[in-house]
């Protein structure tokens, strides 16, 4: 079979494995009026949108991000206290003085895995007040911390499973990447079985020799068996020691915040930091400002809450120069066209469900269905697409540290550990089988596979330059013609895909299920935005918060996960929340 025929067959198979909501030709995204939010129950929202993996946007916010409302029925009070997170109030609200990891712009955008800088939120606002557009506050994972990655090849050992909005470790874990890769993105914690059986193997695309490679095929069969076996969720790698490691000796001297559950202070601190990433961590004690679980998502288990903050001066023109010698991006990098200057997250998908809330500035989301994953040409080689929208990748030079995941984003290897821990010690046959499977998964990620590039984007990112999905924004007909030809040659089928374009203004929200591809364009705020005496004019600051939730792999809103893995993990995190609030009181 030719490579082209093999690719065509895979695309058809991949689309057929995802049977949930897809975008119809000429269709627009469904909208919910913000004033109706309080009238929708968590169960109703699950049945109408979450279960069928359908994005929805909350529009027509009636309040103002800069003017507090006294109306207690206002949307301001339905999810977060928006006023507390505006540029003029955010320092006081967060009360956070430690240094943060700050992304620096690269090729006109963010989310490219570049080494981060560290400084305070106060300094970041100072830079914005000076008109500096080069920095962006995104997720705060340890693997991105430049202070913890001063060894050889700083970025080479970055965990592929945590590169997009949340790390796949804990939940498919704790990701990171909207805006810039994580943002709109995840992703969840530090951290598969498919409940409905809709999954396929796509790892041999373009490899005509695979049919003759019996040894490799045997490995695929073993992995398929292991995937079928693993019917449970997954936990964050960072949290595994809490549940699986016998550390009585190490913890004997630690303060216990929960004696019954044997939760130490160090575990509690880490869990709270994973749930509310810096600089949001102290808000665990102020649910009236930032609730942990919005009512609409009462059926899901939360993974993480993140803050996003950047600056774009739309008054400065964006120069555009095409480079026909650049076969990857035509010289565009992550530049986006248009009369209004903005920055791009790059096109990508995440492994967690996302509620995105805009506080200031403006955002434009361009959305594609998981069913179109192959045509969107990810950096990683797609191994499976689940009906939940979750996408698993092959472990190779494009994702050397990737760990296979389930349909809820859980790492299969960690699920196997969890099952082994819970299995009766006298069940020798069962323990032997689980141990064998665990050894198999551990061998998949042994050292030896080298990354294709030291600065390779995460596997869940598309190779498509953002400008190509906004060709209509180029004013010059000749430029549009050249880029259309470039897109058709290098990314065939892209321009024919159905997509949603969603514009968010302050107070508006977007629900985005896991696996949905999205490019996020960020723009400066309205000229009437807040200013402060200390930081000068912050008109062009864009701020957003997002909630990550573990994607469900069941259809019952009362029990939407197929086992107790996530529930058990959440009980420990919730105990930490209660302990923190009790100590504060």
């Amino acid at each position: 079979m030719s490579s082209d025929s093999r690719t065509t067959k895979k695309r058809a198979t991949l689309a057929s494995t995802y049977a949930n909501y897809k975008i119809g030709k000429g269709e627009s995204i469904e909208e919910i009026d913000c004033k109706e939010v309080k009238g929708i129950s968590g169960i109703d929202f699950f049945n109408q949108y979450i279960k069928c993996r359908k994005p929805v946007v909350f529009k027509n916010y009636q309040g103002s991000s800069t003017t507090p409302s006294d109306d207690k029925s206002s949307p301001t009070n339905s999810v977060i206290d928006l006023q507390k997170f505006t540029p003029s109030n955010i320092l006081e609200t967060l009360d956070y003085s430690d240094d943060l990891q700050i992304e620096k712009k690269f090729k006109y955008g963010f989310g490219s895995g570049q080494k981060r800088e560290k400084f305070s939120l106060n300094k970041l606002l100072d830079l914005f007040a000076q008109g500096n557009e080069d920095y962006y506050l995104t997720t705060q994972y340890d693997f991105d911390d430049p202070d913890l990655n001063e060894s050889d090849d700083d970025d080479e050992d970055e965990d592929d499973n945590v590169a997009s909005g949340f790390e796949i470790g804990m939940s498919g874990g704790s990701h990171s990447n909207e805006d810039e890769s994580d943002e709109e993105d995840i992703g969840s914690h530090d951290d598969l079985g498919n409940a409905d059986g809709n999954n396929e193997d796509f790892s041999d695309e373009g490899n005509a020799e695979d049919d003759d490679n019996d040894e490799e095929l045997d490995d695929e069969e073993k992995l398929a068996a292991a995937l079928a076996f693993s019917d449970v969720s997954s936990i964050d790698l960072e949290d595994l020691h809490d549940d699986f490691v016998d550390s009585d000796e190490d913890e004997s001297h630690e303060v216990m915040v929960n004696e019954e559950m044997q939760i130490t202070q160090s575990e509690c601190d880490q869990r709270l930091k994973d749930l509310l990433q810096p600089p949001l961590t102290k808000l665990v004690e102020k649910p009236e400002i930032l609730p942990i679980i919005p009512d609409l998502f009462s059926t899901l288990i939360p993974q993480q809450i993140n803050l996003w903050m950047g600056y774009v001066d739309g008054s400065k023109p964006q120069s555009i120069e095409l480079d026909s010698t650049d076969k990857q991006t035509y010289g565009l990098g992550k530049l986006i066209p248009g009369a209004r200057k903005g920055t791009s997250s790059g096109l990508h998908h995440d492994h967690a469900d996302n509620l995105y809330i805009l506080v200031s500035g403006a955002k434009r989301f361009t959305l594609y269905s998981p069913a179109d994953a192959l045509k969107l040409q990810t950096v990683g080689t797609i191994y499976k697409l689940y009906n939940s929208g979750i996408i698993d990748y092959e472990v190779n030079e494009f994702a050397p540290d990737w760990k296979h995941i389930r349909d809820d984003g859980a790492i299969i290897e960690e699920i196997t550990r969890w099952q082994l821990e819970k299995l009766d010690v006298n069940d020798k046959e069962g323990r032997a089988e689980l141990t064998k499977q665990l050894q198999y998964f551990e061998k998949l990620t042994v050292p030896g596979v080298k990354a294709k590039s030291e600065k390779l984007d995460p596997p869940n990112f598309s190779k498509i330059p953002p400008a190509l999905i906004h060709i209509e924004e180029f004013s010059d007909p000749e430029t549009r013609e050249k880029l259309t030809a470039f897109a058709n040659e290098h990314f065939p089928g892209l321009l024919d895909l159905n997509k949603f374009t969603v514009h968010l203004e302050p107070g508006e929200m977007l629900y985005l299920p896991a696996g949905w591809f999205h490019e996020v364009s960020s723009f400066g705020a309205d000229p009437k935005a807040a200013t402060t005496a200390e930081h000068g004019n912050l008109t062009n600051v864009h701020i957003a918060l997002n909630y990550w939730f573990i994607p469900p792999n069941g259809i019952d809103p009362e029990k939407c996960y197929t086992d107790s893995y996530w529930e058990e993990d959440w009980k420990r995190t919730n105990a930490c929340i209660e302990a923190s609030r009790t100590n504060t009181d």
Side-chain angles (χ1 to χ4, degrees), residues 134-183:
D134 292 337
Y135 294 97
Y136 191 77
L137 175 65
T138 63
T139 50
Q140 302 291 301
Y141 298 111
D142 288 343
F143 67 83
D144 279 326
D145 192 333
D147 291 345
L148 302 178
N149 292 283
E150 293 293 331
S151 58
D152 298 341
D153 299 321
D154 289 5
D155 301 309
E156 192 168 349
D157 295 326
E158 185 173 320
D159 189 341
D160 293 315
N161 285 69
V162 291
S164 79
F166 73 15
E167 277 180 69
I168 279 198
M170 185 160 217
S171 74
S174 275
H175 301 96
S176 93
N177 271 341
E178 161 213 17
D179 257 16
E180 302 172 339
S181 148
D182 304 87
E183 172 168 19

Side-chain angles (χ1 to χ4, degrees), residues 208-401:
E209 298 175 352
D210 285 353
D211 291 338
D212 300 320
N213 191 334
D214 293 336
E215 182 177 353
E216 183 172 331
L217 189 60
D218 288 343
D219 284 343
E220 297 293 345
E221 291 172 345
K222 290 178 184 177
L223 179 55
L227 289 171
F229 163 85
S230 178
D231 270 337
V232 270
S233 306
S234 113
I235 277 189
D236 183 349
L237 293 178
E238 302 257 345
D239 291 338
L240 286 177
H241 66 280
D242 299 329
D243 302 311
F244 308 127
V245 177
D246 184 4
S247 54
D248 291 343
E249 292 184 8
D250 294 337
E251 296 180 352
S252 60
H253 64 284
E254 287 200 58
V255 175
M256 288 286 176
V257 299
N258 187 307
E259 292 284 352
E260 181 182 356
M261 301 180 73
Q262 289 292 289
I263 299 176
T264 64
Q265 185 64 59
S266 60
E267 176 185 345
C268 183
D269 292 343
Q270 185 62 51
R271 282 182 175 272
L272 294 180
K273 180 182 176 183
D274 288 341
L275 180 64
L276 290 101
Q277 283 214 323
L280 299 174
T281 310
K282 290 185 178 181
L283 294 185
V284 67
E285 299 159 6
K286 299 180 179 180
E288 71 279 7
I289 295 177
L290 186 67
I292 300 300
I293 307 178
D295 292 343
L296 284 176
F297 293 85
S298 59
T299 59
L300 302 185
I301 293 175
Q303 289 182 328
Q304 197 169 85
I305 309 173
N306 291 297
L307 177 70
W308 313 85
M309 185 184 302
Y311 180 95
V312 181
D313 185 352
S315 67
K316 297 179 180 179
Q318 180 75 69
S319 60
I320 298 176
E321 294 183 9
L322 302 183
D323 180 3
S324 59
T325 64
D326 179 0
K327 302 302 181 183
Q328 296 295 318
T329 72
Y330 216 146
L332 293 169
K334 288 188 176 180
L335 180 147
I336 51 175
R340 189 176 185 182
K341 181 183 177 183
T343 57
S344 174
S345 66
L347 182 62
H348 64 284
H349 71 84
D350 297 308
H351 292 84
D353 281 21
N354 185 359
L355 174 64
Y356 191 83
I357 308 167
L358 186 62
V359 176
S360 69
K363 301 277 184 174
R364 175 185 62 193
F365 283 73
T366 304
L367 311 181
Y368 295 91
S369 166
D372 294 323
L374 283 178
K375 289 185 178 180
L376 295 174
Q377 297 196 26
T378 52
V379 171
T381 304
I382 294 176
Y383 182 77
K384 290 184 184 296
L385 168 65
Y386 292 94
N387 197 36
S388 62
I390 287 289
I391 298 173
D392 189 18
Y393 288 93
E394 189 176 354
V395 181
N396 58 18
E397 68 271 26
F398 302 109
D401 300 311

Side-chain angles (χ1 to χ4, degrees), residues 380-573:
T381 304
I382 294 176
Y383 182 77
K384 290 184 184 296
L385 168 65
Y386 292 94
N387 197 36
S388 62
I390 287 289
I391 298 173
D392 189 18
Y393 288 93
E394 189 176 354
V395 181
N396 58 18
E397 68 271 26
F398 302 109
D401 300 311
W402 184 259
K403 293 179 182 294
H404 284 293
I405 57 177
R406 297 189 322 176
D407 56 349
D408 60 354
I411 292 178
I412 300 176
E413 179 181 332
E414 303 313 325
I415 288 298
T416 307
R417 292 182 188 275
W418 176 72
Q419 292 175 318
L420 189 60
E421 179 71 14
K422 296 175 72 68
L423 197 63
D424 191 315
V425 294
N426 296 317
D427 187 351
K428 294 183 179 181
E429 183 177 345
R431 295 184 70 84
E433 179 64 24
L434 284 174
T435 300
K436 183 187 301 184
Q437 292 179 19
L438 182 59
Q439 291 172 343
Y440 173 75
F441 284 113
E442 290 175 338
K443 289 179 181 179
L444 289 178
T445 54
V446 294
V449 180
K450 295 297 182 181
K452 192 82 171 180
S453 167
E454 291 184 5
K455 297 298 182 182
L456 195 68
D457 279 349
N460 59 311
F461 268 65
S462 170
K463 302 172 188 175
I464 298 170
L468 295 187
I469 62 179
H470 302 297
I471 288 180
E472 71 281 358
E473 296 286 333
F474 286 92
S475 58
D476 178 43
E478 184 178 349
T479 298
R480 290 199 302 270
E481 183 177 348
K482 289 181 179 179
L483 291 178
T484 298
F486 180 80
N488 289 334
E489 177 182 358
H490 295 279
F491 308 101
L494 168 66
L495 303 182
D496 298 322
L497 296 179
N498 296 328
K499 64 182 181 180
F500 285 148
T501 300
V502 181
H503 295 272
L504 293 184
E505 298 296 331
E508 297 180 337
M509 306 182 294
L510 172 67
Y511 164 60
L512 190 63
W516 276 75
F517 283 78
H518 52 289
E519 184 273 335
V520 188
S521 303
S522 300
F523 305 96
D526 185 278
K528 297 179 181 179
T531 63
T532 68
E534 181 179 358
H535 293 289
N537 193 325
L538 296 176
T539 297
N540 294 305
V541 173
H542 53 85
I543 298 175
L545 287 93
N546 86 297
Y547 288 80
W548 296 110
F549 299 93
I550 296 164
N553 55 0
I555 60 174
D556 182 353
E558 302 288 353
K559 189 176 178 59
C560 61
Y561 301 102
T562 57
D563 59 43
S564 63
Y565 178 77
W566 290 116
E567 181 181 354
E568 291 178 21
D569 184 68
W570 173 244
K571 284 181 179 178
R572 297 185 71 85
T573 299

